[in-house]
Amino acid sequence: PPEVIESVEIALHPRAHAIVGGPDDTKRSAATLVERQFSAHYCAAVALGAPGHLAAALLGGELDSPVARTVDSILKSTSAIVDAALPLDGCRLTVRAGSRDHVSTVEVPQGDPVRPLDEEARRRKWRTAVGDDAEGDRIAANVSRLLKTPSA
C-alpha cells in the first residue's frame, strides 16, 4: 500500500531527465495540467498512490482528497536522477518500501513521432479520454463529423 512507500527514485536518460526529471523541487510541485504531464515525479506518484487515476489526472481531472493526500505524500519523497546508460525510451523506477528496494524498468509509452500509436492504440487512448459510454459516443461522432467537414 502507498502508506508504506518510503522513497521513489526515477532514473532517466539525460535527454529525458531534461524534459520530465528536474529540477526535483519544480517537478514535485507541478500544479498545472501541462506541468503534471511533464513531471516524472507526479506520474510516478499517481501511478503508485492512485492506480487507475493516472489517465484522469493527466487529462485534467482532479483527484479526490484522500487520493490527493496519498499522491502528495509520495511526491515528497520522489526524486529523479540521470543515468546515461538507460535508453532514451525507458526509465528505472526504484521504490523503497518496508526497508527494501523494489526495482523495475519501465518503458516510455508510445505516442510520439519515434514510437507512433497504431490505430487500435489510438482508439483506446481516445476512449480513455472521452469515456466509453453514450457521452463518449456522442463526442466521438461530433469529432468524426468535424474531421470529415471540408475546411473553407
Side-chain angles (χ1 to χ4, degrees):
E3 62 272 5
V4 300
I5 293 175
E6 299 161 23
S7 65
V8 178
E9 180 184 83
I10 307 158
L12 299 160
H13 182 278
R15 287 190 359 210
H17 188 276
I19 298 168
V20 299
D24 283 334
D25 288 342
T26 301
K27 296 301 183 178
R28 274 191 212 108
S29 61
T32 69
L33 177 60
V34 173
E35 288 171 344
R36 289 175 179 172
Q37 291 172 337
F38 285 87
S39 168
H41 302 64
Y42 182 80
C43 292
V46 174
L48 291 166
H53 295 321
L54 187 58
L58 296 179
L59 292 171
E62 291 300 317
L63 300 173
D64 62 35
S65 294
V67 171
R69 281 194 297 277
T70 300
V71 169
D72 286 343
S73 170
I74 295 170
L75 263 173
K76 290 175 187 165
S77 65
T78 302
S79 61
I81 63 168
V82 174
D83 184 341
L86 285 168
L88 183 57
D89 64 348
C91 76
R92 184 179 60 251
L93 188 67
T94 304
V95 178
R96 184 149 189 84
S99 300
R100 289 187 31 217
D101 287 341
H102 306 271
V103 182
S104 180
T105 302
V106 180
E107 190 174 300
V108 175
Q110 292 181 330
D112 60 38
V114 176
R115 297 164 45 87
L117 297 172
D118 62 25
E119 188 61 34
E120 182 57 31
R122 266 195 302 280
R123 192 173 294 115
R124 280 193 313 271
K125 187 173 183 177
W126 168 255
R127 282 316 218 169
T128 299
V130 300
D132 200 11
D133 56 10
E135 180 66 9
D137 291 341
R138 187 182 63 75
I139 293 169
N142 286 336
V143 170
S144 290
R145 193 169 46 254
L146 287 171
L147 292 175
K148 291 177 186 172
T149 304
S151 56

